[in-house]
Structure formats: C-alpha cells, structure tokens
C-alpha cells in the first residue's frame, strides 16, 4: 500500500511521521511525503523531525516530493493541509488519483469533502477528522503537545459492515502508527461534532483576543459560544446529520477541559499574521445557512467583525 501524505504541517507531520516510522522496514508499504519549498529541502536532506512527550525521532519517508510523475499513483491519499491550501494541493496531486485510490481529508471544518469531489478525478472519497495538538517548529520539524492523537475516518452512506469490508485494511495500517484510529459509518456525525466544538471557539477567541478559558469565563463570550454552537447544530441537522440530542452540552463541557491560557489555531494564525481558516470555520456556516434558510445571526456578526482582522489569502 502506497500512502501519500499531502502537507507536512502539524497534522501531516504527526500522521506522516508516525506512519513512516512504523513502516520503515516494511517492504509492503510505502509512505510518501508530498511537500514543497524549505520543508521538502529539509526533509530530503535531514529527514522529518518529530518531537512529542515520548521524545524526538527523525523520520525518513520512502520518498519526499512535489512531482506527480515521481510520486506515481497512490493507493491512499491523506490530505493534511490548511483549508485555504486544499484546492491547489488537490489540483497538484490529481495525477496521483485512480478510481481505486482512497482519499481521506484530515482538515478542520466540514467543507473538504465537497471541495475534493469537485477537484479530484473519480476516486473512493472518505470522510475524516483528527484530534491532535501539534504545530510546526520550523520547516521539516513538528512538535506534538499533549498525548491525544485520535483519527476517525469512514465512508458516509454505506453500512458499518460494508465499511469494515472495504476499509478495515486501511484502519489496521493506520493503527500501526500508534495513533488511535476508528473506522465508522457515522463519519458525518464525527466531523460535525468536531466542527461544533472547534468553529465557535475559533471565532470567539480570535474576535475577543482571549484564550479559551477567558472567553468561557466572560458572560458575553460564553453566551456567544453557546449561540454559535446552536446555530451550527441547526445547520448540521438541516443537512441531515443525526447529532446526539445533548451535543450542545457535550461540546461546552469539552471546551471547558482545556488548560488555562490555551488558544485556538485560528487565533494563533491571526496573531502571527498568517493566513487564517476564517472562511472554512466561520464563513462556511454563514454561506450554507443563507443557502439552506437556516438563520445564523451570531455567526454573521462575528464573521463581519473577523473579516477586518483575519487574512484569508
């Protein structure tokens, strides 16, 4: 099985690095890193450096490239880019895709599947999401913070039995990385559950310029987060996603579990002048809400405010 990991940021570095380390001496599996610029140069020369609680490892993949002809056809394509990078990455890696290629996006947000379906040739497109706290230290060097590393994937619209029949082999290969991996037929629920947690906190922390605990301790901030959770939940249900009835309470409880001073990735990107995922984490709810007739007034307010301070390109 040839697994191509597209993007070596925080997520791609962890998933790709742990997979490549586990498959280093396995002739049946190849892990290819698709990356560019200084990252590609450093990985080719020095390998990928991955630092976590269990120490630092240096990983060398089977191949690091941004050349489609060199990479060849992929059996599995894992997209781990930022939302604003996805379309170009998909266009560049389209030659790697065959009808049997399994494609799994591991991005923030819930719009990646639609974007990939429009951009890639026919393939076996699955849903995916990941819980991990990690970031780039420098090109070709990634640090994981905390021990949580949970990857969830699956094919929406088919039964659990069919998912097992078609994709349990990929589940077993991914598990060899040491990451907690779950194959599910309810991937839409999992993706939206993460979105309901991530999106309101990203909007509120960036808007108020406060950490997660500071936002939740402030009555106005907490109220805004609760309103956005409800609005996103309404949109998800309008799209047919069968979320748990108590998803709002579960989401707020999860948010309270963060250590004091924790910031969201969108907040950090904004503070450091980088391109943010505003369109994918906040703007998406506004656009889809309007299209579906689902009101999202709190999202609209925050979206308009954030457009003045967040880079989107």
């Amino acid at each position: 099985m040839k697994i191509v990991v597209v993007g070596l940021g925080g997520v791609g570095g962890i998933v790709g690095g742990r997979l490549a380390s586990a498959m280093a001496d396995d002739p049946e599996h190849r892990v290819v890193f698709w990356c560019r610029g200084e990252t590609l140069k450093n990985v080719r020369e020095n390998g990928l450096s991955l630092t976590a609680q269990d120490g630092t490892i240096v990983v060398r993949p089977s191949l690091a490239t941004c050349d489609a002809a060199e990479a060849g056809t992929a059996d599995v394509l894992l997209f781990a880019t930022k939302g604003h990078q996805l379309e170009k990455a998909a266009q560049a890696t389209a030659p790697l895709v065959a009808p049997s290629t399994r494609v799994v996006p591991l991005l923030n947000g819930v719009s990646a599947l639609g974007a990939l379906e429009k951009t890639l040739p026919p393939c076996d497109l699955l849903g995916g999401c990941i819980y991990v706290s990690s970031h780039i230290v420098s090109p070709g060097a990634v640090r994981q913070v905390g021990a949580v590393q949970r990857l969830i994937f699956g094919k929406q619209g088919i039964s659990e039995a069919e998912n097992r029949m078609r994709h349990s082999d990929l589940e077993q290969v991914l598990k060899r990385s040491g990451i907690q991996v779950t194959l599910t037929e309810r991937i839409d629920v999992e993706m939206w559950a993460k979105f309901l947690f991530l999106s309101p906190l990203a909007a509120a922390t960036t808007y108020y310029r406060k950490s997660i605990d500071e936002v939740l301790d402030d009555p106005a901030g907490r109220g805004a987060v609760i309103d956005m959770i409800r609005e996103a939940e309404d949109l998800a249900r309008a799209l047919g996603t069968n979320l748990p009835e108590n998803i709002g309470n579960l989401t707020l409880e999860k948010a309270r579990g963060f250590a004091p001073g924790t910031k969201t990735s969108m907040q950090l990107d904004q503070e450091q002048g980088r391109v943010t995922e505003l369109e994918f984490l906040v703007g998406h709810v506004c656009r889809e809400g309007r299209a579906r007739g689902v009101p999202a007034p709190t999202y609209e307010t925050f979206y308009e405010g954030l457009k003045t301070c967040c880079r989107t390109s």
Side-chain angles (χ1 to χ4, degrees):
M1 186 182 293
K2 184 195 294 183
I3 302 174
V4 180
V5 181
V6 184
L8 281 189
V11 170
I14 295 296
V15 176
R18 296 205 179 280
L19 276 173
S21 178
M23 308 296 179
D25 299 317
D26 188 342
E28 293 186 7
H29 302 291
R30 296 182 64 205
V31 178
V32 176
F33 292 170
W34 183 276
C35 50
R36 298 179 180 277
E38 285 298 307
T39 300
L40 177 59
K41 177 177 179 292
N42 289 343
V43 169
R44 281 178 167 174
E45 292 178 357
N46 306 308
L48 172 71
S49 173
L50 173 57
T51 300
Q53 290 182 341
D54 53 355
T56 299
I57 59 173
V58 176
V59 180
R60 294 188 178 275
S62 300
L63 173 68
T65 187
C66 60
D67 185 306
E70 187 177 26
T73 303
D75 297 306
V76 178
L77 205 56
L78 301 178
F79 280 93
T81 66
K82 292 279 193 178
H84 59 272
Q85 300 167 329
L86 180 60
E87 185 176 357
K88 286 186 177 180
Q91 291 170 347
T93 54
L96 281 60
V97 174
S100 62
T101 301
R102 286 177 281 190
V103 178
V104 185
L106 299 174
L107 283 74
N108 291 328
V110 289
S111 58
L113 283 175
L116 290 173
E117 192 171 26
K118 291 178 182 177
T119 307
L120 294 177
C123 60
D124 193 359
L125 184 57
L126 287 73
C129 64
I130 187 167
Y131 291 89
V132 66
S133 181
S134 53
H135 61 270
I136 299 172
V137 177
S138 60
V142 173
R143 178 183 298 275
Q144 180 180 346
V145 181
V148 175
Q149 43 183 14
R150 181 176 175 230
L151 189 157
I152 310 165
F153 79 104
K155 183 78 171 182
Q156 187 176 339
I158 64 175
S159 67
E160 179 182 0
E162 191 170 355
N163 260 291
R164 290 256 152 241
M165 182 178 67
R166 291 169 55 174
H167 303 302
S168 61
D169 62 329
L170 178 56
E171 180 187 32
Q172 294 307 311
V173 169
L174 293 175
K175 281 183 174 180
R176 290 178 56 182
S177 65
I179 295 172
Q180 181 185 352
V181 178
T182 302
L183 173 62
T184 178
E185 80 280 10
R186 290 166 53 83
I187 188 60
D188 59 330
V189 173
E190 294 289 351
M191 291 170 65
W192 271 101
K194 180 182 177 183
F195 186 81
L196 260 64
F197 157 73
L198 178 63
S199 168
L201 289 177
T205 56
T206 308
Y207 184 89
Y208 289 115
R209 300 176 187 265
K210 294 180 178 180
S211 61
I212 293 173
D213 59 302
E214 289 172 335
V215 166
L216 295 179
D217 286 340
D218 173 66
R222 183 172 63 255
V225 168
I226 291 171
D227 287 343
M228 283 189 280
I229 291 172
R230 289 172 180 163
E231 291 171 8
E233 179 185 354
D234 288 344
L235 177 59
R237 294 194 188 281
L239 293 169
T241 307
N242 189 24
L243 292 167
E245 288 300 323
N246 62 340
I247 188 66
N249 291 335
L250 293 173
T251 301
L252 201 59
E253 183 179 342
K254 188 189 301 183
R256 292 188 180 281
F258 279 91
T262 301
K263 298 182 178 182
T264 62
S265 59
M266 191 172 92
Q267 180 184 13
L268 291 171
D269 285 340
Q270 190 276 331
E271 288 178 350
Q272 296 172 24
R274 296 192 293 256
V275 177
T276 69
E277 293 188 291
L278 175 66
E279 295 299 333
F280 306 92
L281 294 180
V282 183
H284 178 76
V285 176
C286 298
R287 290 187 293 273
E288 284 295 304
R290 294 181 211 127
R292 305 281 175 173
V294 179
T298 312
Y299 265 101
E300 293 282 5
T301 298
F302 276 72
Y303 182 45
E304 289 303 315
L306 288 167
K307 283 194 291 187
T308 65
C309 66
C310 289
R311 286 183 59 197
T312 57
S313 62

